C-alpha cells in the first residue's frame, strides 16, 4: 500500500458530503488513529500504517454513503457530555437542550425523583443528573438496546444517580415523580425530511408517530399526569407546529400553567404544565 501522510489524506476532504467536510475528515482520521484531533496538527507528516489506512478508508466510505458522522464515530456531544450512540438511539439534537434548560430553571439542587420517557442514548436524563447530583433520575425506553446505551453512558460518565428501565412509557413504573420530561417521536410519517440527510439513517421508531406525529404525545400526557406528584411538572419536546395540539392535550389532562417555550432557532419546541397542588 502506498504510504500516505496525514496532510495528504486530509487534502482529499472535499469528496465528503455535508457542510463541514474538512472537520468531518479530521474527526474520522483522528478516530482511525485513536488520537485527539490536535494530533493531526502536530504531526502532519506522520505516515499511516496499513492498518490505520484501512480503518480510515472504511470510516470514510460510510460517511461518503451519507451515514451521519455521529453514527460513524459512535459518539455525539450533548450538554458537554460525550455520549456513545448505537443504531437504536437517535442522535441528540441541539434543540433538546431547551428541554434540559427549562427543567433546570424550574428545579434547584433539592433531591427529587425525576423521569425521562423515551431516553434513547440517555441524553436528557444524563444532562439533568450531571447538573443535579442529588436527584434520582429514572430513564425509560421500550427498546432494550437504548437502555443498554444509556446505562453504559451513565457508567462511563460516573453518573450513579441515573437508573435505566425497559418499559412502555409509564406502564411498568411505580410511585410518583416531581418532574417528568420527554423527547418522544413526533414527526409525521409522511414528512419528506425523513428521506433526506441524517434522518434517513436514524431509527424510525424514535422519530415517527402516527396521527400527524401526535400519537406518542397523546399517550404520554395522561399517563404522566397520573404519575406526577401534586404540583409536579411535565415538560415535553414537540414539533414546531404542534404547540396548539400539545397545549390542548395538557389542559384536557388537567395540567395548569401550561405554556410553550421556543428553542434557540425561535421554533415552538417545549410545552410545560403543572399538576395542581392538593387543596390544603
Ligand atoms: N427534532 C427532531 C427532528 O425534527 C425529531 C426528534 C423527535 O422526533 N423526537 O429531526
Amino acid at each position: 500500500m502506498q504510504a500516505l501522510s496525514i496532510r495528504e489524506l486530509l487534502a482529499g476532504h472535499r469528496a465528503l458530503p455535508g457542510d463541514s467536510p474538512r472537520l468531518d475528515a479530521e474527526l474520522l482520521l483522528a478516530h482511525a488513529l485513536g488520537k485527539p484531533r490536535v494530533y493531526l496538527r502536530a504531526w502532519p507528516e506522520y505516515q499511516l500504517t496499513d492498518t490505520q489506512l484501512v480503518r480510515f478508508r472504511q470510516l470514510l466510505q460510510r460517511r461518503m454513503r451519507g451515514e451521519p458522522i455521529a453514527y460513524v464515530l459512535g459518539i455525539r456531544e450533548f450538554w458537554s457530555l460525550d455520549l456513545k450512540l448505537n443504531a437504536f438511539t437517535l442522535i441528540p439534537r441541539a434543540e433538546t437542550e431547551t428541554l434540559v434548560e427549562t427543567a433546570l430553571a424550574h428545579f434547584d439542587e433539592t433531591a427529587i425523583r425525576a423521569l425521562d420517557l423515551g431516553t434513547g442514548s440517555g441524553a436528557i436524563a444524563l444532562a439533568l443528573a450531571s447538573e443535579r447530583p442529588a436527584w434520582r433520575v429514572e430513564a425509560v425506553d421500550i427498546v432494550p438496546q437504548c437502555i443498554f446505551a444509556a446505562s453504559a453512558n451513565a457508567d462511563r460518565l460516573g453518573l450513579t444517580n441515573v437508573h435505566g428501565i425497559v418499559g412502555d412509557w409509564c406502564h411498568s413504573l411505580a410511585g410518583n415523580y416531581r418532574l417528568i420530561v420527554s423527547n418522544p417521536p413526533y414527526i409525521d410519517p409522511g414528512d419528506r425530511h425523513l428521506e433526506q440527510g441524517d434522518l434517513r439513517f436514524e431509527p424510525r421508531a424514535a422519530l415517527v408517530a402516527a396521527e400527524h406525529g401526535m400519537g406518542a404525545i397523546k399517550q404520554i400526557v395522561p399517563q404522566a399526569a397520573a404519575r406526577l406528584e401534586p404540583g409536579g411538572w411535565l415538560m415535553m419536546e414537540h414539533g414546531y407546529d404542534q404547540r396548539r395540539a400539545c397545549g390542548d392535550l395538557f389542559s384536557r389532562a388537567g395540567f395548569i400553567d401550561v405554556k410553550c417555550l421556543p428553542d434557540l432557532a425561535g421554533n415552538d419546541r417545549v410545552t410545560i404544565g403543572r399538576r395542581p397542588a392538593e387543596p390544603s
Side-chain angles (χ1 to χ4, degrees):
M1 225 179 284
Q2 190 201 348
L4 285 166
S5 67
I6 286 177
R7 188 200 304 282
E8 287 165 317
L9 286 165
L10 287 178
H13 73 268
R14 280 184 197 83
L16 289 179
D19 44 18
S20 55
R22 168 83 197 189
L23 172 65
D24 291 354
E26 289 184 12
L27 290 168
L28 296 174
L29 186 49
H31 193 71
L33 295 173
K35 302 280 186 201
R37 199 151 60 92
V38 288
Y39 183 91
L40 310 177
R41 299 270 154 83
W43 310 104
E45 305 308 333
Y46 172 81
Q47 299 198 330
L48 275 71
T49 66
D50 286 355
T51 317
Q52 288 170 332
L53 203 52
V54 168
R55 204 180 303 148
F56 177 56
R57 293 212 157 120
Q58 283 168 347
L59 298 172
L60 214 51
Q61 264 172 21
R62 288 172 64 187
R63 181 62 194 133
M64 301 270 245
R65 283 197 296 264
E67 191 172 337
I69 193 83
Y71 286 139
V72 180
L73 299 174
I75 204 144
R76 169 54 55 98
E77 185 175 304
F78 179 81
W79 203 264
S80 302
L81 305 171
D82 273 337
L83 301 180
K84 287 210 177 172
L85 308 179
N86 64 32
F88 300 88
T89 61
L90 208 65
I91 302 169
R93 313 266 204 279
E95 63 258 31
T96 300
E97 297 197 341
T98 302
L99 180 54
V100 175
E101 277 162 13
T102 307
L104 294 175
H106 281 74
F107 290 91
D108 63 16
E109 309 285 334
T110 312
I112 59 166
R113 195 167 171 222
L115 175 66
D116 174 21
L117 292 172
T119 198
S121 61
I124 300 167
L126 295 163
L128 294 177
S130 72
E131 295 287 339
R132 300 284 187 263
W135 291 12
R136 175 190 168 86
V137 184
E138 293 174 32
V140 168
D141 209 292
I142 198 165
V143 180
Q145 290 91 338
C146 288
I147 292 305
F148 176 79
S151 303
N153 280 325
D155 284 351
R156 251 191 30 266
L157 297 165
L159 296 168
T160 53
N161 52 335
V162 175
H163 305 270
I165 301 164
V166 177
D168 181 1
W169 303 133
C170 294
H171 287 312
S172 52
L173 303 173
N176 288 317
Y177 300 86
R178 190 77 200 151
L179 167 67
I180 299 181
V181 294
S182 183
N183 174 21
Y186 55 70
I187 298 179
D188 182 316
D191 192 319
R192 60 193 164 74
H193 291 105
L194 293 165
E195 309 312 325
Q196 299 166 10
D198 287 3
L199 287 178
R200 289 171 299 162
F201 291 84
E202 292 186 286
R204 281 294 150 106
L207 288 172
V208 168
E211 302 182 60
H212 303 292
M214 288 301 296
I217 298 178
K218 264 189 193 169
Q219 291 177 30
I220 293 171
V221 173
Q223 289 186 30
R227 282 268 155 243
L228 279 167
E229 295 170 9
W233 285 88
L234 173 61
M235 305 186 172
M236 176 82 68
E237 180 173 322
H238 54 73
Y240 70 95
D241 56 354
Q242 293 168 336
R243 173 192 185 136
R244 271 272 304 276
C246 213
D248 287 349
L249 285 171
F250 270 57
S251 300
R252 253 182 279 146
F255 285 97
I256 58 171
D257 298 338
V258 176
K259 64 177 174 192
C260 179
L261 303 159
D263 62 21
L264 286 174
N267 293 314
D268 287 334
R269 188 58 66 194
V270 175
T271 289
I272 68 173
R274 192 164 61 88
R275 262 203 69 191
E278 252 152 12
S280 48

